[in-house]
């Protein structure tokens, strides 16, 4: 059964093509900095948005009834597998990401949920073979069910913590079964609504204990995928403990967990935290923890997680500069954690959305590589810090100086005058010339 009958395999036709169902920039085998675009970008389809979401928002019901939906949740789950693979195959996307509850409906009991999951996992495994389509990462949805209203690993209720643990154990097993290259922890409701009802210290200790148990269980079952934490500052709770990259890294280090996790940076979460997307990528990169990316965008005029498909070439370029500088992805990739607009109600809209986003990242990759090949920006940066390359700067960096030495140095010199320009506008103009 084909659900996207009006679409065939999306071809690369180059920038002069006016075919809306063709790539203009994403030429999968084109080599950039010694690697094909496909290897650099490692695109993934997000199961939850692409084959589950129906456009519901806090003000209204779903607007799109997709052709794979039926009245029987298990039949719909089987159909979604077909829809996801057809979408990936026609787009030439080799990865997908999923939550346990995206692929199979939750049952009345934990045992029934596991049974549902096992049936669909077998179907996915079957469908995977021979296609080259793989799992970038799996995760557990420990936030939608009402039991998680107070959080999961940070719930005030120990049984709920235990349920979340059971659910993560199973989701990890299933991710392993599907050969997943990673596993994500996003703290869905790990945060609070009111400090008045919150024992923050206890909740954070529980969160660390939970993550430690996950690390241990990973070894127990022999899962060798990469663990990621995905920061987000707020929504659904008013404060999420995994606020941003810097907060998460500090938390992991404080609990001796930093060797076991990398970060999955989402564009829209970085901007919700008041940062540029590139800022959180930079923080992750300089700490050696830039693992994977949820590629989407927010809306500057809306203060919530709109999860739109990325189309802004400035943003994709700035992101690819960080990703290239980090040495590229190993287990991670660019997961389109994005949904089409509520008014985009036809299956073909999923193709327009993904094609535009893939082209936007292909352009970002090529532009970033051009910026890196030409030393204009790098030279200005190097020049800006030149005072650290010799003399007192080099001595400070080498750890050879005390505050007393600095006092003697400045006493002798008389003053310090940072009178060189930061050249912000010139650098912005140079960046623009590449776009
Ligand atoms: C929600 C998050 C979520 C994670 C996976 O805001 O982006 O979708 O990526 O649980
Ligand atoms: Ca995400
Ligand atoms: Ca999001």
């Amino acid at each position: 059964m084909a659900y996207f009958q009006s679409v065939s395999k999306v071809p690369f036709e180059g920038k002069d093509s006016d075919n809306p169902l063709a790539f203009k920039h994403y030429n999968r085998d084109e080599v950039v900095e010694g690697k094909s675009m496909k290897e650099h970008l490692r695109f993934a389809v997000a199961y939850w948005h692409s084959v589950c979401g129906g456009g519901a928002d806090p003000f209204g019901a779903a607007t799109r009834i997709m052709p794979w939906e039926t009245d029987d949740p298990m039949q719909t789950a089987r159909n979604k597998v077909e829809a996801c693979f057809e979408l990936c195959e026609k787009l030439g996307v080799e990865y997908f990401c999923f939550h346990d509850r995206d692929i199979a409906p939750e049952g009345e009991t934990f045992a029934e949920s596991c049974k549902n999951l096992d049936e669909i996992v077998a179907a996915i495994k079957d469908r995977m073979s021979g296609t080259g389509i793989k799992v970038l990462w799996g995760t557990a949805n420990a936030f939608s069910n009402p039991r998680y209203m107070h959080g999961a690993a940070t719930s005030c209720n120990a049984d709920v913590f235990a349920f979340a643990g059971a659910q993560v154990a199973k989701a990890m097993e299933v991710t392993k079964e599907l050969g997943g290259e990673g596993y994500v922890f996003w703290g869905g409701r790990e945060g609070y609504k009111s400090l008045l009802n919150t024992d923050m210290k206890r909740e954070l200790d529980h969160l660390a204990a939970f993550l430690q148990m996950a690390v241990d269980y990973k070894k127990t079952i022999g899962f060798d995928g990469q663990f990621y934490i995905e920061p987000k500052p707020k929504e659904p709770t008013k404060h999420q403990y995994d606020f941003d990259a810097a907060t998460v890294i500090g938390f992991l280090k404080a609990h001796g967990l930093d060797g076991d996790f990398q970060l999955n940076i989402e564009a829209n979460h970085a901007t919700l935290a008041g940062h540029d997307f590139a800022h959180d990528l930079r923080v992750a990169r300089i700490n050696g923890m830039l693992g994977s990316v949820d590629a989407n965008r927010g809306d500057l005029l809306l203060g919530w997680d709109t999860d739109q498909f990325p189309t802004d070439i400035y943003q994709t370029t700035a992101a690819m500069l960080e990703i290239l500088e980090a040495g590229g992805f190993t287990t991670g990739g660019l997961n389109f954690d994005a949904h089409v607009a509520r008014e985009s109600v036809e299956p073909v809209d999923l193709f327009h959305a993904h094609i535009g986003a893939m082209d936007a990242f292909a352009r970002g990759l090529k532009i970033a590589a051009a910026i890196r090949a030409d030393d204009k920006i790098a030279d200005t940066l190097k020049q800006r810090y030149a005072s650290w390359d010799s003399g007192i700067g080099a001595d400070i960096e080498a750890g050879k100086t005390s505050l007393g030495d600095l006092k003697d140095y400045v006493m002798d010199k008389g003053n310090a005058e940072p009178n060189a320009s930061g050249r912000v506008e010139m650098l912005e103009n140079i960046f623009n010339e590449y776009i």
Side-chain angles (χ1 to χ4, degrees):
M1 166 85 190
Y3 293 113
F4 303 99
Q5 273 165 4
S6 65
V7 188
S8 36
K9 173 118 189 162
V10 178
F12 168 71
E13 291 185 358
K15 67 177 172 35
D16 296 327
S17 164
D18 58 8
N19 174 2
L21 290 172
F23 294 116
K24 318 291 184 303
H25 302 276
Y26 179 60
N27 183 9
R28 62 204 313 262
D29 297 318
E30 186 179 328
V31 173
V32 179
E33 289 199 11
K35 268 198 324 201
S36 69
M37 284 194 170
K38 184 186 89 168
E39 290 166 308
H40 272 291
L41 300 169
R42 293 168 57 89
F43 292 127
V45 159
Y47 212 94
W48 55 100
H49 283 311
S50 289
V51 298
C52 300
D57 71 11
F59 300 92
T63 50
R64 39 178 194 276
I65 310 296
M66 288 299 177
W68 46 87
E69 276 158 38
T70 70
D71 293 335
D72 171 2
M74 279 305 281
Q75 189 52 46
T76 301
R78 289 179 207 111
N79 296 349
K80 281 179 186 170
V81 176
E82 291 307 313
C84 178
F85 277 81
E86 187 185 344
L87 180 64
C88 290
E89 279 169 343
K90 288 185 170 170
L91 285 169
V93 165
E94 291 191 347
Y95 290 96
F96 67 95
C97 299
F98 68 94
H99 300 81
D100 49 0
R101 303 305 180 233
D102 306 335
I103 61 173
E106 182 151 11
E108 287 294 314
T109 60
F110 180 65
E112 194 184 321
S113 301
C114 291
K115 188 168 155 277
N116 290 349
L117 211 42
D118 288 338
E119 182 193 322
I120 303 300
V121 165
I124 293 177
K125 215 174 158 186
D126 218 41
R127 194 64 182 72
M128 279 169 105
S129 70
T131 62
I133 295 171
K134 302 171 280 256
V135 169
L136 189 68
W137 51 259
T139 187
N141 176 334
F143 45 89
S144 294
N145 189 290
R147 83 171 63 83
Y148 294 122
M149 66 180 165
H150 306 286
T154 62
S155 175
C156 50
N157 183 301
D159 271 359
V160 172
F161 179 105
F163 196 105
Q167 198 183 327
V168 166
K170 179 67 183 174
M172 214 192 297
E173 288 164 24
V174 157
T175 303
K176 176 182 185 249
E177 173 75 11
L178 292 174
E181 297 185 23
Y183 186 93
V184 162
F185 294 82
W186 168 60
R189 293 180 193 272
E190 314 295 24
Y192 62 83
K193 172 79 176 170
S194 168
L195 281 175
L196 295 174
N197 71 0
T198 302
D199 186 336
M200 190 191 281
K201 169 86 171 70
R202 211 165 180 183
E203 292 197 1
L204 288 170
D205 286 347
H206 293 169
L207 180 57
F210 190 93
L211 294 176
Q212 184 61 58
M213 281 189 242
V215 168
D216 296 342
Y217 196 68
K218 182 177 186 238
K219 291 184 191 125
T220 306
I221 64 170
F223 173 50
D224 58 12
Q226 175 65 49
F227 271 179
Y228 309 103
I229 306 256
E230 180 180 324
K232 185 173 184 179
K234 56 187 163 191
E235 199 197 6
T237 64
K238 95 164 170 183
H239 176 89
Q240 302 267 131
Y241 293 133
D242 48 14
F243 196 89
D244 61 1
T247 309
V248 170
I249 291 168
F251 178 82
L252 290 172
K253 285 188 192 288
H255 292 91
L257 288 162
D258 49 311
D260 294 296
F261 291 86
Q262 292 189 340
L263 300 188
N264 179 42
I265 301 296
E266 177 176 318
N268 203 167
H269 296 180
T271 52
L272 277 177
H275 303 311
D276 284 332
F277 178 23
H279 168 96
D280 254 25
L281 293 170
R282 174 77 60 98
V283 171
R285 169 169 77 74
I286 63 175
N287 283 283
M289 291 171 87
L290 175 49
S292 202
V293 169
D294 271 7
N296 62 10
R297 77 186 145 106
D299 186 309
L300 279 182
L301 304 181
L302 297 173
W304 67 90
D305 193 17
T306 56
D307 282 356
Q308 292 163 252
F309 276 85
T311 52
D312 183 332
I313 313 296
Y314 274 75
Q315 297 301 324
T316 60
T317 301
M320 288 314 301
L321 278 172
E322 296 299 331
I323 293 163
L324 290 175
E325 193 63 33
F329 293 122
T330 45
T331 51
L334 294 170
N335 168 45
F336 292 120
D337 188 355
H339 58 79
V340 294
R342 189 163 184 267
E343 58 267 48
S344 297
V345 293
E346 293 176 26
V348 70
D349 291 313
L350 281 170
F351 280 87
H352 293 304
H354 282 91
I355 290 169
M358 291 163 77
D359 269 345
F361 265 96
R363 290 174 80 177
L365 168 63
K366 285 192 281 188
I367 297 166
I371 291 174
R372 281 156 56 85
D374 182 345
D375 293 327
K376 279 185 200 148
I377 293 180
D379 283 350
T380 310
L381 184 68
K382 187 161 182 0
Q383 195 47 44
R384 188 158 186 244
Y385 291 87
S387 69
W388 293 91
D389 295 334
S390 60
I392 188 75
D395 285 348
I396 296 170
E397 281 195 352
K400 290 187 191 155
T401 55
S402 67
L403 279 190
D405 296 332
L406 301 189
K407 193 173 153 222
D408 294 344
Y409 175 80
V410 171
M411 199 63 85
D412 207 40
K413 242 192 128 146
N415 209 344
E417 287 176 42
N419 51 9
S421 171
R423 294 270 182 269
V424 175
E425 295 77 10
M426 183 191 85
L427 289 168
E428 287 174 346
N429 295 349
I430 293 173
F431 192 92
N432 264 4
E433 277 165 33
Y434 292 93
I435 299 278

